[in-house]
Amino acid sequence: MGKLSTKFIVGTVLTAIGIGVLLNLGMWQMHRLAWKTQLLEKIAAQQDVNVRTRPLADLVGDEAGGFSRGYLQGTWMRDQTVLVGPKMRDGAWGYWNITPLKLDDGRVVLVNRGWGEGEIKTSRHNVKAMGSLRESDPGGEPVGGDIKSWHKMDVPAIGKALQLDVQPLALFMEVSEPLDMAKPAPVTANLRNEHRNYAIFWFTMALALFGVYTAVSLRGRRSASSQGPSDL
């Protein structure tokens, strides 16, 4: 009887821990679902913005301004262009051309001018760059120690390597005046929202674990009852 009780207690504790973990995973996915839904709604609302008339200079220093669309005006720091990649586009390998833009007030913003098979020189110093603000892609390092070549667009890391005090948000350029020869990044971010399905999966796993525990417990009780009292 003592051995059976020990197994039952251990099984109950482990099951409770497992169910707790699965429920927490499900709740985390629900929080992510709410966050992603708000983000997608924000992106959708930005699609009707006229990028030629909305200035973004006041938003580049605030991460809350991410995915806002409009324009920045300033001067290209043409000799500071870095390449991020390689990335495949239209069946060919190439790189995002990232060029710092010095705004009229002196602040510096990294601008993803678009894709090219190599570095694409800017046509002029002065520019009106139009597009959307994006957050950094953390974890980037120079490729082979070359500060002009990166696998990720890590804004702070690139700024530090170039010895520039860059703003937290980067601009993903859709078009510019004068026109740039790089192929622009997609206007909308490719964001998947599968968090509801993930939450359902974890909640279902928790329910399944509880079901298995209940079935095993009932079977153990029936087995103990069928053996009857001891003759000792």
Side-chain angles (χ1 to χ4, degrees):
M1 189 70 179
K3 179 182 271 189
L4 180 62
S5 297
T6 301
K7 288 183 178 180
F8 176 77
I9 292 172
V10 172
T12 299
V13 171
L14 293 177
T15 301
I17 292 174
I19 291 175
V21 170
L22 294 170
L23 290 176
N24 280 331
L25 288 171
M27 291 304 299
W28 181 76
Q29 289 295 342
M30 291 300 293
H31 290 307
R32 293 285 293 177
L33 172 64
W35 167 80
K36 185 66 70 63
T37 299
Q38 291 178 352
L39 180 58
L40 291 173
E41 289 174 350
K42 178 180 180 180
I43 294 172
Q46 291 293 316
Q47 298 315 304
D48 295 330
V49 171
N50 186 340
V51 294
R52 298 179 181 276
T53 60
R54 184 192 186 191
L56 295 175
D58 292 339
L59 299 177
V60 294
D62 186 359
E63 292 184 357
F67 295 104
S68 297
R69 294 179 70 233
Y71 74 88
L72 293 173
Q73 197 150 353
T75 303
W76 287 128
M77 303 176 71
R78 295 192 294 185
D79 59 339
Q80 300 278 39
T81 295
V82 303
L83 300 180
V84 174
K87 308 288 184 182
M88 178 171 282
R89 183 163 182 176
D90 300 329
W93 288 100
Y95 302 85
W96 296 121
N97 280 247
I98 314 299
T99 304
L101 180 69
K102 188 174 183 179
L103 305 184
D104 295 337
D105 61 10
R107 292 178 298 163
V108 178
V109 178
L110 293 185
V111 178
N112 183 344
R113 293 167 39 227
W115 183 93
E117 293 188 9
E119 182 177 348
I120 297 178
K121 299 293 184 180
T122 56
S123 57
R124 283 177 52 184
H125 278 290
N126 299 322
V127 67
K128 183 176 183 180
M130 293 159 276
S132 60
L133 298 176
R134 306 279 182 89
E135 294 182 356
S136 178
D137 190 4
E141 293 182 355
V143 178
D146 181 4
I147 65 171
K148 292 298 189 74
S149 180
W150 297 73
H151 283 311
K152 293 183 177 181
M153 189 174 174
D154 188 330
V155 173
I158 293 175
K160 183 177 180 180
L162 296 177
Q163 298 183 350
L164 296 173
D165 184 17
V166 298
Q167 297 299 300
L169 296 179
L171 181 76
F172 276 56
M173 194 170 74
E174 301 168 20
V175 67
S176 66
E177 297 174 355
L179 189 65
D180 200 284
M181 298 306 294
K183 296 180 181 180
V187 175
T188 57
N190 183 21
L191 295 177
R192 298 174 57 192
N193 193 7
E194 299 290 336
H195 298 293
R196 186 186 303 276
N197 293 334
Y198 297 149
I200 292 173
F201 170 78
W202 292 120
F203 289 143
T204 301
M205 291 297 292
L207 182 61
L209 180 57
F210 178 75
V212 170
Y213 167 78
T214 301
V216 171
S217 297
L218 290 175
R219 186 173 62 183
R221 290 178 183 178
R222 291 194 188 107
S223 177
S225 298
S226 64
Q227 291 177 3
S230 173
D231 292 335
L232 297 178

